[in-house]
Amino acid sequence: MNNFEYRHGELHCEDVPVSRIAKEVGTPCYVYSHATLLRHFQAYDSAFKNIPHVIAFAMKANSNLAILRLMAKEGSGADIVSGGELFRAMKAGVPASKIVFAGVGKSPEEIRDALKADILMFNVESSAEIHVINEVAASIGKKARIALRINPDVDPQTHPYISTGMKKSKFGIAADRALEEYKMASSLDHTDVVGVHAHIGSQLTDVTPFVDSLKKVVTLIDTLKAQGINIRYLNIGGGLGITYSEEKPPLPQDLADAILPLIKDLGLTLLMEPGRVIVGNAGILVTKVLYEKAGETKHFVIVNAAMNDLIRPSLYGAYHEIRPLDEEAAHRAKRQMDIVGPVCESGDFLAKDRLLAAVKPGELLAVMSAGAYGFVMSSNYNSRPRIPEVLIKGGEIHVIRERETYDDLIKGETIPAFLN
Ligand SMILES: *Cc1c(COP(=O)(O)O)cnc(C)c1O
C-alpha cells in the first residue's frame, strides 16, 4: 500500500497534487511519501514485536539524510556498506549501537572509523577480513564485535545481479567452512564473535528461500553453541520484495510467521536489514514528455529523465509502472512505445515495448516504485546534474535534496597549469 493515488483526476502524493510539486521544484524529481515510509517501517517492526529485535535499515536503498533521520526516529538502525554510509548515518543521528557494517571490501580506514564510532558489529565476509579487523582493532586498543556472513547456497529466485547467497556469489563465507572460521575468529584477541549473518538476495517474492537459508543458519548456531561459541545475534538480512508489476510478495507479517517458529527459542536478538520493502513503493520519479518520435519500427516517447537518474531498467531490465499525472490521459487509446531519456546510449530507457495510453509533449508522467535503488544509483553521466528529492508530509512539500547546478558538476576538477 502507498500514498500515491488519483484524487479529483490528478495523481497525488498524500494531500499534494504531484503536478504542484513539479511546478515548484521542476522535473525530473524524486518524490517520497512520509506516511508510506512510516507505515512500511512500522509494519516490519510490529511483525517482529514478540522477539527482541533491531531493524537496521539497508541505507544503500535510499541514503538521503532526511529519510535516515525519519527511520532513526522510529527506532531504526542502519545497515551500512561503506565509510561514506557510516558518515551519512552518523550525520542523520542513527545510533552507532544500531549500525551493522557489511561488504566484501571494507578498507582498514573504514574499519578503523567504524570501530572508533563503536558500531554494533561488522558482518564479516572473508577469512582475510577477520584478520584485518583484528589487526585494526588491536592498533587502536579495541575489541571488534563481529558476525560472520554465511553463504547458505540458497537460490533466492531473483535477478542474478541481486542474488547474493549462492555458491558462485562473491558474498559471505561458505556454510561448510563456517565452523572453522568461527573457531579461528574466536581465538583472536581483538574480536568478539557475537553473531551469524545471512543475506541471500533482493526482491524475493516468496518466503521459502528465507526459510531454507535460516534452517542452515540455525543448524550452524547449534553447532557453534556445542563448541562453546556463544552467539547472541542472528541477522537474517533484508531482501523482501515489493510489487512493481504483478508480483505478490509476502508481507513482513508473512515472513515473521514463517521464520519465528524456527528461532523463537534460541534466545537471540534478531537483526534485520530491510531496504527495498521500506522505501521502494514510498517514492516516484516525476518526468516530463519532451518529444514523440516515430522510429522505423517503434514509437518513442522521449522524456527528460534518463538512465543516469534511474538506472534500474537499463541495469536489470527492471519494470517500473508508468502513469500520467492527469488521470484523464490514462484513458486514451493505448499504443506500444518505448519511454526513453536524452542520454546518448541505446540502453537509456525507462520502459521498453510498453502498452501505454498515448502521451503528448509537455505532459507529466510518474515512474512508480522508484524510492529504492533510484536516486542512490544516479550519476552525472552526460553531465546531467543530479535531480532533487522531495519529501511530502500531508500537505507539506519539503525539498530534502536540491537539484545540482552546473557548478556542482565541475566541483573538484582543475586544469593543470601546463595546459594554460
Ligand atoms: C542490499 C542489502 C540489504 C537490503 O536488501 P533489500 O532487498 O533492499 O531489502 C540488506 N543486507 C545486505 C547485506 C545487503 O547487501
Side-chain angles (χ1 to χ4, degrees):
M1 211 179 111
N2 61 63
N3 294 75
F4 298 94
E5 57 181 17
Y6 289 112
R7 287 192 205 165
H8 324 296
E10 268 203 273
L11 188 71
H12 278 60
C13 176
E14 302 197 16
D15 299 332
V16 185
V18 176
S19 60
R20 190 159 97 222
I21 306 166
K23 206 166 190 177
E24 282 191 20
V25 306
T27 60
C29 64
Y30 277 99
V31 176
Y32 308 120
S33 159
H34 179 259
T36 308
L37 288 164
L38 274 192
R39 196 172 50 249
H40 287 177
F41 181 83
Q42 288 165 356
Y44 215 99
D45 200 31
S46 70
F48 293 91
K49 62 178 181 296
N50 292 330
I51 186 165
H53 69 274
V54 175
I55 295 182
F57 171 60
M59 61 178 282
K60 75 175 191 282
N62 189 319
S63 58
N64 185 287
L65 291 181
I67 306 267
L68 296 179
R69 171 68 59 87
L70 186 165
M71 296 291 163
K73 283 184 79 169
E74 289 301 299
S76 183
D79 164 36
I80 64 169
V81 294
S82 72
E85 287 196 346
L86 175 64
F87 174 77
R88 277 183 177 279
M90 302 297 283
K91 279 273 179 216
V94 178
S97 61
K98 292 183 187 173
I99 294 178
V100 293
F101 192 169
V104 294
K106 302 177 194 80
S107 72
E109 294 74 22
E110 289 174 318
I111 292 166
R112 189 198 55 217
D113 290 348
L115 279 170
K116 285 189 170 161
D118 203 21
I119 65 163
L120 177 57
M121 74 182 75
F122 295 86
N123 292 321
V124 181
E125 307 244 8
S126 67
S127 187
E129 186 193 331
I130 300 172
H131 290 288
V132 172
I133 290 178
N134 185 62
E135 279 161 28
V136 176
S139 74
I140 57 171
K142 289 216 167 214
K143 213 163 173 160
R145 285 175 293 276
I146 63 170
L148 301 200
R149 178 173 182 173
I150 303 306
N151 180 336
D153 192 28
V154 167
D155 185 350
Q157 308 283 350
T158 185
H159 192 283
Y161 290 6
I162 51 177
S163 298
T164 57
M166 294 165 76
K167 276 206 171 119
K168 61 189 174 193
S169 157
K170 73 174 176 179
F171 297 99
I173 294 166
D176 50 14
R177 283 192 43 81
L179 178 58
E180 205 177 312
E181 299 296 346
Y182 267 99
K183 282 186 184 161
M184 184 275 285
S186 304
S187 73
L188 301 175
D189 288 337
H190 291 273
T191 59
D192 185 9
V193 183
V194 297
V196 180
H197 174 256
H199 168 78
I200 54 175
S202 195
Q203 184 54 15
L204 273 68
T205 52
D206 187 51
V207 294
T208 312
F210 286 108
V211 171
D212 293 347
S213 162
L214 197 54
K215 281 182 180 157
K216 295 195 180 181
V217 168
V218 169
T219 306
L220 173 65
I221 291 172
D222 289 341
T223 313
L224 294 175
K225 278 192 175 158
Q227 298 271 338
I229 298 171
N230 193 19
I231 296 301
R232 282 140 52 200
Y233 293 93
L234 165 57
N235 188 331
I236 61 166
L240 202 56
I242 65 170
T243 303
Y244 286 101
S245 172
E246 308 281 300
E247 307 93 331
K248 297 249 181 308
L251 297 171
Q253 189 61 55
D254 301 327
L255 178 63
D257 292 345
I259 66 170
L260 287 182
L262 293 171
I263 59 179
K264 64 179 192 314
D265 297 329
L266 294 175
L268 301 171
T269 297
L270 186 63
L271 281 163
M272 290 163 285
E273 305 168 335
R276 189 190 309 272
V277 70
I278 309 287
V279 286
N281 278 324
I284 62 173
L285 168 65
V286 183
T287 184
K288 185 160 79 184
V289 178
L290 296 175
Y291 301 103
E292 279 189 282
K293 177 169 170 171
E296 284 287 311
T297 57
K298 282 191 172 224
H299 184 74
F300 294 104
V301 169
I302 299 156
V303 299
N304 65 354
M307 66 187 287
N308 72 295
D309 303 307
L310 178 67
I311 203 173
R312 298 190 68 260
S314 308
L315 187 60
Y316 311 119
Y319 176 98
H320 286 268
E321 187 190 345
I322 294 180
R323 293 192 202 166
L325 297 198
D326 176 8
E327 191 174 17
E328 194 77 56
H331 301 305
R332 293 181 193 147
K334 291 199 160 114
R335 68 178 305 174
Q336 186 154 309
M337 59 182 87
D338 281 13
I339 309 267
V340 304
V343 161
C344 298
E345 296 276 345
S346 292
D348 175 28
F349 59 88
L350 297 175
K352 216 165 203 170
D353 300 321
R354 186 78 60 85
L355 196 60
L356 282 174
V359 291
K360 299 178 195 151
E363 289 179 341
L364 298 173
L365 302 174
V367 181
M368 308 303 291
S369 313
Y373 307 104
F375 181 86
V376 286
M377 283 188 163
S378 66
S379 77
N380 291 123
Y381 187 42
N382 278 208
S383 285
R384 290 167 53 85
R386 284 187 300 168
I387 66 180
E389 295 177 283
V390 181
L391 180 64
I392 302 302
K393 180 170 182 287
E396 301 165 18
I397 302 177
H398 300 276
V399 176
I400 57 173
R401 184 186 178 106
E402 288 178 0
R403 188 182 303 282
E404 287 183 344
T405 64
Y406 288 153
D407 278 324
D408 291 330
L409 289 179
I410 56 169
K411 183 168 175 263
E413 292 181 36
T414 44
I415 299 171
F418 76 87
L419 290 171
N420 286 344

